[in-house]
Each structure stands twice: as C-alpha cells, then as structure tokens.
Amino acid sequence: MAEQRSGGTADHGGGAAPEHVLVVFPGYHRPWATWINQRLEAQGVRATLQRWDPPREAPLEDSLGDLLLARGTVLLVLDDWFFQLGPRPAGEWNDVLRGFVAAQADRFAAVNLTNRSLLPATAVLEPVSLWGVGEEEAEVRLLHRLGIEPRRSGSRRVPPGAPVRYPDTPPSVWGEVPRRNPTFTGRDDLLTELQQRLMDADRGNAACTLLGMSGIGKTQIAAEYAHRFSPDYDVIWWVNSDDRNVQRDRLGELAAELRLPSGNEPGERIRAVREALRRGDPYARWLVIFDGWDDTDGAGVLLPQGPGHVLITSRNHGWGDHTDVLKVPSFDRAESTGYLMRRAPHITAPQADEVAAEFGDVPLPLVQAAAWLGESGMEVPEYLRMVRDGRLSTVDEPSSGDGFPNASLTSWSILINRLRRAQPQAIDVLSLCASFAPGRIPLGIIRAYPQAELPEDLRWMATDLPAWTRALDTLVNYSVLTRETRGPVTSVEIGPHQESVHMHRLVHDIVARLTDGDHRKAHRKAVRTLLAEADPGNPMDSRHWPRYAELLPHLEPSGALLSRNPRIQAAVLNCLRYCFRSGEFTAGAQLAERIRDNWSTFMDPLDQPMLELTTQQGNILRSFGRFREAYNLDLAQRERLSAASPPNELGSLLSGSAIASDLRYLGQYQESERLQRQVLVEAQRLLGDTEFSTLVARHNLGVVLRLLGRYREAYELDAESLARNENVLRTRHAHTLNSSNAVAHDLRLLGQYREALARQEANVRVHVQVLGPQHLQTLYARTQLALCRRREGGFQQDIGAMMATLLEQLEQVHGRTHYVTLSSLNNYANYLREHGDLDHARELIHEAEAGYRSLLGPAHPVATGVLANTGLVMQASGERADALAILEAALAGLTASLGPDHPWVLGCALNASAARNFNGRVGDAAELSRDTLRRARHALGNEHPLTLSCQVALATDLRGLREVEEAGKLEEDALLTLTRTLGAQHPHTLSARQRNRPYWDFEANLG
C-alpha cells in the first residue's frame, strides 16, 4: 500500500502557478469542488468544474485523456468513491495510474477527502489530504499542492456571488435531513437539473416537486440534494409530510430554530415561519423539503414563499398546479448496473444487467437486491433462481398495479428469511413496525415507557439496549428503515421518546405481508398499549399537541380503535379532543367517524365513552361548519337518551346543550333560546351555579340573545357570566377571556363604541399573553378589536392592514371556505367598499356570499344579511336598479326569518329606503324610513347609532318630498344626539352634518 502524503510535506511550490485548473469530481462531492473553485478564483486562478462519471464501456485511459484536452492542471477530487465511478475493478485503475497517468504526471494533481486507504497507484498523483482539517489549513494545502503562492488577504479578488461555505461546516439550521446515503448512485443529471430549476426560478416561486411512483427514490434524491448543495443554503429543514398533523407540527418547529417569537399553536408557528422565510430574515438562503406530500389541499396555507427554495416529493400529479414538476424516472441501465456492482463488487457487468432487468430498474428493489448480494456474497445465478421460482416466498405475489415489480416480494422474502436466521431480533422490530402506520414511527416509546406490558418476545427491547441498537442498525443497513434525528448529529443523547424511524409505505406493505403473523395480534396490542402510555393526558395544553400529532396516525393500524381497554379508549378520545382544540377539524371528523364505526360493533350507544364521542364529534362537526350533520348526530343522541331507563340526566343535559348550539348555527334562534334556557335551569339544578357546564350554558344563552338582537339582555347576562367566571375560574382562564369578548361585543352592538374598544384592547393583550397571538380564540378577539376600532372611528388608517392580516391568518388556520374566514372576508369587504376600493370589495363580498350560501343555504339569516352587503357594493358602483332589487330581497328574507323589529332587519330596511330614494321612489322611501325609525326607537332606544341613522335617513327623504320643517327638526335632533353620544368628530356625526345618506353594513356572525 502506498503511503498517503499529508498536506505541506511535498514541495510543489517551485514551478509557476497553473493558468487554469480543471476540477474533476464525482457528483457526490460537488460541495468540495465548489469550495475549491472559489478558493482558486480568489487567488486569481481560472478554474472550471467538471463532474465526471466515465462510462464503463469506454476505456478508462480514453476518459482520462479527454480531461487533458483542457489547458493547465487537472485536479482530481479523490476518495474511495472516486475509484468506484464506472464502476471498474481496482486492477484496471492501478494499471492506468501506473501507465497513462504516470506518463502525464505533470498535468495531474489531486486532493484526498478520506482517511481510508486509496489504491496503491494513486501515489503517482501525490494527493494532498484535506480530511479532518479546518478551512484555513485546507486552503493552504490546496494552494501549495498546485504551486500557487497565496496572495495577501487585502489583494484577493473576491469572486462574485455569495461566499461558498466550507463543506465541513454545516448550515446554521439543519433539521432532520436523513443521513447521507454513502451508496447513493447516479441521478447526477437529475440533481443538476433540479438545482438549475430552483436557482433560475423567479424570487418567491422557487418550488419544485419530485414526482414519481413509490420506490422510485424520490426521498433519496431529495436527501442527496440537501447534502450535495448544502453550501448554497444557511437553513435546510426537512418536513415529513405523510401525515398532515405531523407535517404542520414539523414545519412549525422551525420557528424555534429561527428564534422567532411565537406561541405553541401550529397555526401561529407556521405563520411566523412563513413570514420569516418570505422576508428572508434571519436567513435568505433557505431550503424547505416536504417529503411525501401527496395531498395538495393545504398547499396555499403551508407552502413558503420568499428568496429561498422549496422541494417536494410526491406521487400526486396535482402538484403541477402549484409548483414546477420534475418527474423521477427509473434508473437508466447504467445507473442500475453501476449501483449493483458498487454494492456487490463480486458480480460482473452482465450479471448486474440481468438483475437490473429483473427488477425493471426500479431503485427500491434494486437497493434490496444489492444489499442482499453484497451482504451474503451469493452468486447472481443462484440469487435469480431463488427469486424466479419463488421458493422462499410465503405469500402470493402482489399485483403490479402501482408499477412495482412482482419479483420484489420474493426478494424481500429472501432478505427476511435471512434475517430470521441471522438476526431474529431485527424481525421482532420489523413485525412491531408493521403494527404502526407507515411513515414516521415513534419507536422510542418502547424504551421511554418500560412499564408498559409488552409480550414476552418483545420485552428485550425495553431492557437490552445493545440488542436494540444492533437490530436497528441491521435494518438501517439493509435499507428497510431510516433513522430520524432532531437536527445535526451531536454528542448530546436524545431522549428515548424522541427516537423515531421512517418506513416507506411500500416497504411497510411488503413487510406486513411477509413478517410472521403468529405474533401480529400481540404486537398490535403492545403498540396500542404504548400509545396509551405516551398519551400526555391533557389535550387542552397546546404544549402537548406535537406528541398527539405523532400518535394520531397509529391509532387505527394498532387496533386502538377496536380496543375494549378503558385506558386505550381514553387515549383515543384525547386524540380526538386534540383535533378539536388544535383546529385539525378534517382529521378530527375522519377520526371520529372511524371511532364510531369501530365502537358501534361492541359498545352500547349510551355507554359513557360513546356519549363522550358524540359530544366531541359534534363539537368538531360544528367547528368544521358541518352544522346539519352535527344537529342530526346530537338529535339521535337525545332520542336514545329519552328512551333510556333509568334516565341519564347528565347525558340529557349535555345533549340538550349541543342541540341548542346546533340550532343557533342553523339560524333557528328562537328555538335555540328556548332550549338553552332549559339547559341552564337543568344545569343549575343538577350541578349548581359554579360548575363549568353551568358557566358554559349561561355564556351560550348570552350568545343566542345577541343573535336575536336583544343586545341589552345579552349584555346584562354576559356581564353576570364574566363576574362568575372571574370568581370561579379566575381572570386568565380561556373561558373567562371568552366571556370578556362577549361583553365587549355586546357593548359595541349597543353603540357604546369607546367603552367596547377600551375593554377589547385590554382583553386582546391578555389573550396574547395567555393563549398566544395565533390561538383560534385570540384571532376571534383580534377580529372583534378591529370591528371596535372601525366603529369607534379613530383608527381608520390602520384598520385595513389589520383586517387584511387577520384574513390571511384565518385562512392559514381554517382555509378559505370556513365560516370564520368567510366572516373576515365579509368584514374586510365592507371596509374596502367604505373606503372606495369597489373592485376588491365586490370580489371579496361575492366570495363571502357564495361561501355562506353554499354552507348555510340561501334562506339562512346570515346568508341573507351578506346579500345586503352585495347590494351596497352595487349601489356604490352606480348599479342602482340592481342594488334596489337585491336590497328589497334581503329585507324581505330577513323579515320573514327574524321578524320586523330585529336590528338586522332594521339595518337592511335603512339600506332599502336609500335604494328607493336613489331610484326616484322618494315617497316609498319616506314611508319605509318612517316605519323603520319607529321600530328602531322601540327595539334599540332613541340614542342608538342605528336609530339615529334611521332618523337622518327619514330627514333626507322628507326633504326630497319638500317637507322641510319636519326634516330640519329630525336632522337637528339627530346631530345633537350624535355629537353628545359619539362626539363631534366621529365619522357618523361628520357624515350626518354633511347630509350624506347613512347606510348599515352587515357583520356576519354565526355565534
């Protein structure tokens, strides 16, 4: 073996510095080549990068001779990987180095990136070692080897572009990128094209999806890209996206790494992350990788934009609507054979070709074949005979509908049988993994909760750490599992509960078919027991939400949804509560339905877990906007409870409370009030005044009174509720804060704008302190604050930006069609119309109107009220006839559903009278205005802003009829009252003084 020279020991500085250096590297070492190129250019030496992978069919001497066509020195970037390019036998390389290269030794130089032994004949290249040294020393050694006299630092020419980071220096933020695969092969052209697409994309649109079938190698390509091009980035963050909850939590975790101020809720952290990435602060050079993202529904909410890059791996062709798409094909034959020959050096090129053909050049089965051949040393004819005759297969071949070769199952069967003989504990781990869901598996909970009752064949996992490590290492080496770590590898030991592995869904399916089924039942029981042990027990606490997101995908595969164990059932319900509390309504609705399907097979509908399931399912459906489904579910529950003997009074109470809420959302306010009063009386009788259910019942009664337009009653009840909540729950409890929201809302609707604003500003501050700025309840509080500021009149310049930001944040949390987001759309449209942006207002109000009509039906009071806002936009745009028709229809619809004295009806009548006036029907306008004023005085009082608006409107109509004296008295009285109650500079007062026709815009609120 030739002695490897270390840097600085050989004298290479005697000759003239080369005028040009051709840096020749395998694609695997692009970071080193890029760094070398920049160091040379900083010294004024022209350099060219040449990725090199000579075809096996061409003589090696010819391929090396082609490099000499360039002028100057050819610098080879060497490690043991370099000599596997082709791949070629070591003897062929040694012969060429001793002959051709030795004869041209003055043209060649080399750097060595490994501490392992290279081929003996590499001594002719006199490679200088850069392994394990710092950047300054590496540069000194590189320049010395090439005979370049270093320039003084002040005289260096700084190459254009950002400085290239030294390859041994990781990015500032490095998040859960899979460890680099030392046997990664080929794909160089694809990786180069991927980099070019991302680099050439317009700022803010640098997103590319690697698209291909299962097993094609998308994840490996993404991981290799992250490692190979890591010097181009300061932040590289990997997001496993098999499960939406895990995906959201993982992306949100980047907030802590970027040191962003945010709370614990996923929506808040995601918003903070996206905003920081958009600004490029604190890092502009970032790469976020979403691995296994097959559902494009959340693309608009989660995809970052900004100066950095986004890389997605997926099977879903729909990503073409959102990103650039790069299809990942199978290996070409040279890549297949090259990989097989590197992993199994004893096989020949024709044999490698035969194996590649057997598996259709698909990477995943080739990885398994190469691992088997390389580890076992088996000859290819024997291996292929075993594959083709299926002698070791224990199950039928799967269909090839997804494009995966049938022979792969037999290949896996061979591997698993070998492991069963040589490493049976690895089979135990595999069998256990098959009882989890594919994707990320929190396997560390086995060691984190040793008190869990494990079956006898698995107990070694909790007690024998060396055996556990050996089993995992074996599976990782055979490419069955990949380890997942939090951030860069450090010397700090991670806790057992943080340990996880990743199993590809296709691998999971095959392993589930082939591992021993005798223990499957016991292993699934062990997994669901462990999931229950890992349940934090408090889904109300947002700090536990990442753990619930991790547990959620594994409930059904483990059989937890069929378990009769009360502890496991409690954990299942806690996961459902997590979905409700965290706003994961889609996942929650699906989970609740699956729980019901399973529990219904062995549990009575009136058993306590089923009653609790119905409560949580109803909460989720209501919060999701599926009001009719929630109502039908709760109604069926009440019917069962009514027929029960003995009666379940508490269950009936909770059922009645749920139905009252359903009716409220469905717009049946009178019936909701009647039932809610009964619920409050029953709660006081059964539980007392201070029990939480009673406090909630009193709050809900205030909500329905507010929707009925009985604002004074609502205020008095809400003020009483707030005092009770502060006494029982204390001031910083979430329910107390919600009561404070209600009081401020009542005050605003009563026209007491300044008092409402003062209360809501203080309330929002406490919400942010206690719940965080992006908690769902905080967003509601901030929405109320924006409306308070708009009505108070002194913050007009800031309100538009505030409303736009709230709309964006609500869309991130709920999506565009959720009823809370629709309310924000409606409110922002009203503001835009009032401030002259009619086109944008029309666009948003049409979206809100269509959304509410689809969600609630056209006859719902809220859908009808939003129609009135559409009429106002049309009227402001000069479409007076059409506006009149719309406003008259809205008035008729609201009157029919709410009665003539409801404030919403009075406001709509105010608008309709204006439309009549503008269309020349002044007499009809005056008639409607007079009737509306009379009703408003009765319903709201003489000093309410809406009453005063009706008074100003009637004065305008009377003036049009030349009844000047009455008009003047009405106008003067209204101005005096507005000045006294709202102030002389309030927009309402100023508008009345300028004789502008007043209007009323509808605030959509479902309660």
Side-chain angles (χ1 to χ4, degrees), residues 122-154:
T122 55
V124 70
L125 295 167
E126 303 184 47
V128 61
S129 177
L130 303 186
W131 184 84
V133 301
E135 181 172 15
E136 185 175 346
E137 174 64 16
E139 182 174 4
V140 169
R141 294 185 180 190
L142 169 69
L143 299 180
H144 187 75
R145 174 63 184 89
L146 294 172
I148 300 171
E149 186 68 29
R151 294 182 176 184
R152 296 189 304 276
S153 59

Short mmCIF file of all heavy atoms in Angstrom, two decimals, residues 122-154:
data_model
loop_
_atom_site.label_atom_id
_atom_site.label_comp_id
_atom_site.label_asym_id
_atom_site.label_seq_id
_atom_site.Cartn_x
_atom_site.Cartn_y
_atom_site.Cartn_z
N THR A 122 -2.33 5.42 -6.57
CA THR A 122 -2.66 6.86 -6.50
C THR A 122 -1.47 7.67 -6.02
O THR A 122 -1.49 8.91 -6.08
CB THR A 122 -3.85 7.11 -5.55
OG1 THR A 122 -3.57 6.53 -4.27
CG2 THR A 122 -5.13 6.52 -6.12
N ALA A 123 -0.40 6.99 -5.57
CA ALA A 123 0.80 7.72 -5.14
C ALA A 123 1.33 8.60 -6.27
O ALA A 123 1.91 9.66 -6.02
CB ALA A 123 1.87 6.73 -4.68
N VAL A 124 1.10 8.20 -7.52
CA VAL A 124 1.60 8.99 -8.64
C VAL A 124 0.95 10.38 -8.70
O VAL A 124 1.52 11.34 -9.22
CB VAL A 124 1.37 8.23 -9.97
CG1 VAL A 124 -0.12 8.16 -10.31
CG2 VAL A 124 2.15 8.87 -11.12
N LEU A 125 -0.24 10.50 -8.14
CA LEU A 125 -0.95 11.78 -8.14
C LEU A 125 -0.50 12.69 -7.00
O LEU A 125 -0.85 13.87 -6.97
CB LEU A 125 -2.46 11.54 -8.02
CG LEU A 125 -3.12 10.81 -9.20
CD1 LEU A 125 -4.52 10.36 -8.83
CD2 LEU A 125 -3.16 11.72 -10.42
N GLU A 126 0.24 12.13 -6.03
CA GLU A 126 0.69 12.87 -4.85
C GLU A 126 -0.48 13.66 -4.23
O GLU A 126 -0.40 14.88 -4.07
CB GLU A 126 1.85 13.81 -5.20
CG GLU A 126 3.04 13.10 -5.81
CD GLU A 126 4.21 14.03 -6.06
OE1 GLU A 126 4.54 14.81 -5.13
OE2 GLU A 126 4.76 13.99 -7.16
N PRO A 127 -1.56 12.96 -3.86
CA PRO A 127 -2.74 13.68 -3.34
C PRO A 127 -2.45 14.32 -1.99
O PRO A 127 -1.82 13.72 -1.13
CB PRO A 127 -3.80 12.58 -3.22
CG PRO A 127 -3.02 11.31 -3.08
CD PRO A 127 -1.77 11.49 -3.88
N VAL A 128 -2.90 15.54 -1.82
CA VAL A 128 -2.76 16.23 -0.55
C VAL A 128 -4.05 16.02 0.24
O VAL A 128 -5.15 16.14 -0.29
CB VAL A 128 -2.47 17.73 -0.76
CG1 VAL A 128 -3.59 18.41 -1.50
CG2 VAL A 128 -2.23 18.43 0.56
N SER A 129 -3.92 15.68 1.51
CA SER A 129 -5.09 15.34 2.32
C SER A 129 -5.78 16.59 2.85
O SER A 129 -5.15 17.44 3.50
CB SER A 129 -4.68 14.45 3.50
OG SER A 129 -5.80 14.19 4.33
N LEU A 130 -7.07 16.70 2.59
CA LEU A 130 -7.90 17.75 3.18
C LEU A 130 -8.83 17.17 4.24
O LEU A 130 -9.69 17.88 4.75
CB LEU A 130 -8.75 18.44 2.09
CG LEU A 130 -8.00 19.05 0.91
CD1 LEU A 130 -8.96 19.82 0.02
CD2 LEU A 130 -6.87 19.96 1.38
N TRP A 131 -8.63 15.91 4.58
CA TRP A 131 -9.56 15.27 5.51
C TRP A 131 -9.29 15.74 6.94
O TRP A 131 -8.16 15.75 7.41
CB TRP A 131 -9.38 13.74 5.46
CG TRP A 131 -10.38 13.03 6.32
CD1 TRP A 131 -11.65 12.68 5.99
CD2 TRP A 131 -10.18 12.58 7.67
NE1 TRP A 131 -12.26 12.06 7.03
CE2 TRP A 131 -11.38 11.98 8.08
CE3 TRP A 131 -9.10 12.64 8.55
CZ2 TRP A 131 -11.54 11.43 9.35
CZ3 TRP A 131 -9.26 12.10 9.83
CH2 TRP A 131 -10.47 11.50 10.22
N GLY A 132 -10.37 16.18 7.59
CA GLY A 132 -10.29 16.48 9.01
C GLY A 132 -9.54 17.74 9.37
O GLY A 132 -9.16 17.93 10.53
N VAL A 133 -9.32 18.66 8.41
CA VAL A 133 -8.61 19.89 8.74
C VAL A 133 -9.57 21.07 8.58
O VAL A 133 -10.59 20.98 7.91
CB VAL A 133 -7.37 20.09 7.84
CG1 VAL A 133 -6.42 18.93 8.00
CG2 VAL A 133 -7.76 20.26 6.37
N GLY A 134 -9.22 22.18 9.21
CA GLY A 134 -10.03 23.37 9.11
C GLY A 134 -9.90 24.05 7.77
O GLY A 134 -9.03 23.73 6.95
N GLU A 135 -10.76 25.04 7.54
CA GLU A 135 -10.81 25.69 6.23
C GLU A 135 -9.50 26.38 5.90
O GLU A 135 -9.00 26.28 4.77
CB GLU A 135 -11.97 26.71 6.19
CG GLU A 135 -12.10 27.39 4.85
CD GLU A 135 -13.34 28.24 4.74
OE1 GLU A 135 -13.96 28.52 5.80
OE2 GLU A 135 -13.71 28.62 3.62
N GLU A 136 -8.90 27.08 6.84
CA GLU A 136 -7.67 27.82 6.55
C GLU A 136 -6.54 26.88 6.17
O GLU A 136 -5.82 27.09 5.19
CB GLU A 136 -7.28 28.67 7.77
CG GLU A 136 -6.09 29.56 7.52
CD GLU A 136 -5.80 30.48 8.70
OE1 GLU A 136 -6.67 30.60 9.59
OE2 GLU A 136 -4.70 31.06 8.73
N GLU A 137 -6.41 25.79 6.94
CA GLU A 137 -5.35 24.82 6.64
C GLU A 137 -5.63 24.12 5.32
O GLU A 137 -4.69 23.86 4.53
CB GLU A 137 -5.27 23.79 7.77
CG GLU A 137 -4.30 22.63 7.51
CD GLU A 137 -2.85 23.07 7.39
OE1 GLU A 137 -2.52 24.21 7.81
OE2 GLU A 137 -2.03 22.27 6.90
N ALA A 138 -6.89 23.81 5.03
CA ALA A 138 -7.22 23.16 3.77
C ALA A 138 -6.84 24.04 2.58
O ALA A 138 -6.33 23.56 1.57
CB ALA A 138 -8.72 22.83 3.73
N GLU A 139 -7.10 25.33 2.70
CA GLU A 139 -6.74 26.24 1.61
C GLU A 139 -5.23 26.29 1.42
O GLU A 139 -4.73 26.28 0.29
CB GLU A 139 -7.30 27.64 1.88
CG GLU A 139 -7.01 28.61 0.74
CD GLU A 139 -7.68 29.95 0.93
OE1 GLU A 139 -8.31 30.17 1.98
OE2 GLU A 139 -7.57 30.79 0.01
N VAL A 140 -4.48 26.34 2.52
CA VAL A 140 -3.02 26.37 2.43
C VAL A 140 -2.52 25.12 1.71
O VAL A 140 -1.65 25.19 0.82
CB VAL A 140 -2.40 26.49 3.84
CG1 VAL A 140 -0.89 26.24 3.78
CG2 VAL A 140 -2.70 27.85 4.44
N ARG A 141 -3.04 23.96 2.09
CA ARG A 141 -2.59 22.70 1.47
C ARG A 141 -2.96 22.66 -0.01
O ARG A 141 -2.17 22.21 -0.85
CB ARG A 141 -3.22 21.52 2.20
CG ARG A 141 -2.75 21.37 3.65
CD ARG A 141 -3.31 20.10 4.27
NE ARG A 141 -2.87 19.95 5.65
CZ ARG A 141 -3.07 18.84 6.37
NH1 ARG A 141 -3.69 17.80 5.84
NH2 ARG A 141 -2.62 18.77 7.62
N LEU A 142 -4.16 23.09 -0.35
CA LEU A 142 -4.59 23.08 -1.74
C LEU A 142 -3.68 23.95 -2.60
O LEU A 142 -3.19 23.52 -3.66
CB LEU A 142 -6.04 23.59 -1.81
CG LEU A 142 -6.58 23.90 -3.22
CD1 LEU A 142 -6.74 22.61 -4.02
CD2 LEU A 142 -7.92 24.64 -3.13
N LEU A 143 -3.45 25.16 -2.15
CA LEU A 143 -2.63 26.08 -2.94
C LEU A 143 -1.20 25.58 -3.06
O LEU A 143 -0.56 25.70 -4.12
CB LEU A 143 -2.67 27.48 -2.32
CG LEU A 143 -4.06 28.15 -2.24
CD1 LEU A 143 -3.94 29.52 -1.59
CD2 LEU A 143 -4.70 28.25 -3.61
N HIS A 144 -0.65 25.04 -1.97
CA HIS A 144 0.71 24.52 -2.00
C HIS A 144 0.83 23.37 -3.00
O HIS A 144 1.80 23.28 -3.75
CB HIS A 144 1.13 24.07 -0.61
CG HIS A 144 2.56 23.67 -0.52
ND1 HIS A 144 3.60 24.59 -0.51
CD2 HIS A 144 3.14 22.44 -0.45
CE1 HIS A 144 4.75 23.94 -0.43
NE2 HIS A 144 4.50 22.63 -0.38
N ARG A 145 -0.17 22.50 -3.01
CA ARG A 145 -0.11 21.36 -3.94
C ARG A 145 -0.12 21.82 -5.39
O ARG A 145 0.52 21.21 -6.25
CB ARG A 145 -1.33 20.43 -3.68
CG ARG A 145 -1.45 19.27 -4.68
CD ARG A 145 -0.25 18.34 -4.57
NE ARG A 145 -0.28 17.28 -5.56
CZ ARG A 145 0.23 17.36 -6.78
NH1 ARG A 145 0.81 18.50 -7.20
NH2 ARG A 145 0.19 16.33 -7.59
N LEU A 146 -0.80 22.91 -5.68
CA LEU A 146 -0.88 23.41 -7.05
C LEU A 146 0.22 24.41 -7.38
O LEU A 146 0.26 24.96 -8.49
CB LEU A 146 -2.25 24.05 -7.29
CG LEU A 146 -3.45 23.09 -7.24
CD1 LEU A 146 -4.75 23.87 -7.29
CD2 LEU A 146 -3.38 22.08 -8.38
N GLY A 147 1.10 24.66 -6.42
CA GLY A 147 2.20 25.59 -6.67
C GLY A 147 1.75 27.04 -6.76
O GLY A 147 2.37 27.83 -7.49
N ILE A 148 0.69 27.39 -6.04
CA ILE A 148 0.16 28.75 -6.08
C ILE A 148 0.62 29.50 -4.83
O ILE A 148 0.39 29.04 -3.71
CB ILE A 148 -1.38 28.73 -6.14
CG1 ILE A 148 -1.85 28.00 -7.40
CG2 ILE A 148 -1.95 30.15 -6.09
CD1 ILE A 148 -3.34 27.74 -7.45
N GLU A 149 1.26 30.62 -5.04
CA GLU A 149 1.69 31.46 -3.92
C GLU A 149 0.49 32.25 -3.42
O GLU A 149 -0.10 33.04 -4.16
CB GLU A 149 2.79 32.42 -4.37
CG GLU A 149 3.40 33.23 -3.24
CD GLU A 149 4.19 32.39 -2.26
OE1 GLU A 149 4.74 31.33 -2.69
OE2 GLU A 149 4.28 32.77 -1.08
N PRO A 150 0.08 32.07 -2.17
CA PRO A 150 -1.12 32.77 -1.67
C PRO A 150 -0.95 34.28 -1.74
O PRO A 150 0.11 34.83 -1.41
CB PRO A 150 -1.24 32.29 -0.22
CG PRO A 150 -0.43 31.04 -0.16
CD PRO A 150 0.68 31.19 -1.15
N ARG A 151 -1.97 34.97 -2.21
CA ARG A 151 -1.98 36.42 -2.20
C ARG A 151 -2.20 36.92 -0.78
O ARG A 151 -2.78 36.24 0.06
CB ARG A 151 -3.10 36.96 -3.08
CG ARG A 151 -2.93 36.67 -4.56
CD ARG A 151 -4.10 37.31 -5.32
NE ARG A 151 -3.95 37.16 -6.76
CZ ARG A 151 -4.78 37.70 -7.63
NH1 ARG A 151 -5.80 38.42 -7.22
NH2 ARG A 151 -4.60 37.53 -8.93
N ARG A 152 -1.78 38.13 -0.55
CA ARG A 152 -2.13 38.76 0.72
C ARG A 152 -3.64 38.95 0.75
O ARG A 152 -4.26 39.23 -0.28
CB ARG A 152 -1.43 40.11 0.89
CG ARG A 152 0.09 39.98 0.96
CD ARG A 152 0.71 41.32 1.34
NE ARG A 152 0.31 42.38 0.43
CZ ARG A 152 0.93 42.61 -0.73
NH1 ARG A 152 1.95 41.86 -1.10
NH2 ARG A 152 0.52 43.60 -1.51
N SER A 153 -4.23 38.84 1.93
CA SER A 153 -5.69 38.87 2.05
C SER A 153 -6.28 40.14 1.45
O SER A 153 -7.34 40.14 0.86
CB SER A 153 -6.12 38.73 3.51
OG SER A 153 -5.55 39.79 4.28
N GLY A 154 -5.57 41.25 1.58
CA GLY A 154 -6.10 42.51 1.06
C GLY A 154 -6.11 42.58 -0.44
O GLY A 154 -6.83 43.38 -1.03
#
